[in-house]
Amino acid sequence: LLGPEGDRSEVLDTILAARRESYAEAHATLPTDDAPPAALSQRVLEVWRRPMIAVPLGARTYAVELAAEDGLALGRTVAAHARSAVFVVSDRNVEPLWGDALRASLRANGIEAKATIAVPPGEGEKHLGTVEAVLRALVEAGADRDALVVGHGGGVVTDIAGFCAATLLRGVPWVAAPTTLLGMVDAAVGGKTGVDLGAAKNAVGAFHQPKGVVVDMSRAATESPRGFRSGLAEVVKAASIADAALFEALERQVEALRRRERTAAELAAWGALRVKAAIVGRDEHEAGERAVLNFGHTIGHALEMQGGLGRLTHGEAVALGMIAALRVGERLGVTPRGVVERVVGLLDALGLPTNLDAEDLAAALPAVAFDKKRRGGSIRFVLLRAIGATELCWVEPSALAALVSPAATA
Ligand SMILES: NC(=O)c1ccc[n+]([C@@H]2O[C@H](COP(=O)([O-])OP(=O)(O)OC[C@H]3O[C@@H](n4cnc5c(N)ncnc54)[C@H](O)[C@@H]3O)[C@@H](O)[C@H]2O)c1
Ligand SMILES: [Zn+2]
């Protein structure tokens, strides 16, 4: 049927490769050798019960798993991908709080981390100097091509850890263990890694997808209330651009989210993750659709960098950036008034800033000109057509100030 022997092996190889590719997009793979059907069905059920979202990227597909109360998921994921030594990159706030929990989860899965590198915390440390220090520490601790890096911390840590994994010996695998809500719903998923270069946010980086992401909402309990709200801004963003039902759920869950109830937080995070995983799966390198994830970020990044680090958190800046994008949308006749009111209402109810004052805006606008997303002289904006639906538009820098001015929504 397959012709002469030579061709046959070629055909079989092609079939096997295609199979491996499609199997790779499964949420999990199970060894079935020698297991009796009863044991096998037990194993399948076990995996089936674990809440997982796949980021579908062919052979590089990975799962985002929601950890149960036992906290074992992280160690299990690391064990599934570790080839030899495991190295943890964390920061000096997270390590004393959660380092033991991480090590216990690893140990329960038969793994002892070879070294833990805790960097100084904060956005101000997200630069190449820290990357060099981490890489040196990794090499000194014996990291080789078979090393696996675990990024255990907020978005700053997972951005640094992922970038170190991308560049160490031209790339070693890594697993993301986010400890902030923002890290869980956004920074740890999607493969964008990197650091700031002076005032230029995320100016140095690489796409390097993790082998797995484990979202353990218990970690968020020690996060600052301000940090947690910052994560909620990205959840509102995800709902606004792609999921009207999630947006409604958030509106219903405002009180529980303000109280940081675990179940409400998990549902919100799950909704946002589904949106991000699907978009990244369709457009990994931001050739097109992935740009919608930048809703609120065009002005948001500029606001975040302006006035020094630490004045606005990433999420607060994104909340204000969404306000700016809503104003632009309304001015251009793309965003209906009712949509503006609902997004503003939800952000406000969740305790996020919505009053974008003229002074901050004036100070931030020049930085927008340097935004790396600027194309051919005009600035790209993601606008909302409806809750859950977007439209891209390009704005001339000279027209920007008038379009984002408060008068439009006052
Ligand atoms: N790569 C991406 O796709 C992507 C997406 C969104 C944001 N980001 C990046 O993420 C960063 C912001 O992330 P972030 O808000 O998590 O900031 P962060 O990592 O600086 O964490 C905020 C603070 O909380 C501390 N912390 C972290 N987890 C804690 C916990 N469980 N308990 C107590 N304290 C804890 C940290 O030490 C830090 O001081 C920005 O640099 C942003 O650019 C990246
Ligand atoms: Zn963001």
Side-chain angles (χ1 to χ4, degrees), residues 91 93 123 126 154-156 159 179-180 182 192 201 219 222:
D91 77 19
N93 288 336
E123 182 73 30
K126 205 178 104 168
V156 166
D159 275 8
T179 60
T180 61
L182 186 115
K192 282 190 184 178
K201 244 194 99 61
R219 298 283 200 273
T222 55

Side-chain angles (χ1 to χ4, degrees), residues 108-127:
N109 287 277
I111 290 186
E112 203 68 53
K114 202 157 177 203
T116 297
I117 300 151
V119 301
E123 182 73 30
E125 304 293 335
K126 205 178 104 168
H127 55 70

Side-chain angles (χ1 to χ4, degrees), residues 182 186-187 234 237 293-295 297 301 304 314-315 318:
L182 186 115
D186 200 1
E234 296 282 4
K237 177 201 78 178
L293 291 169
N294 291 321
F295 176 53
H297 284 61
H301 274 158
E304 190 179 358
H314 179 74
V318 168

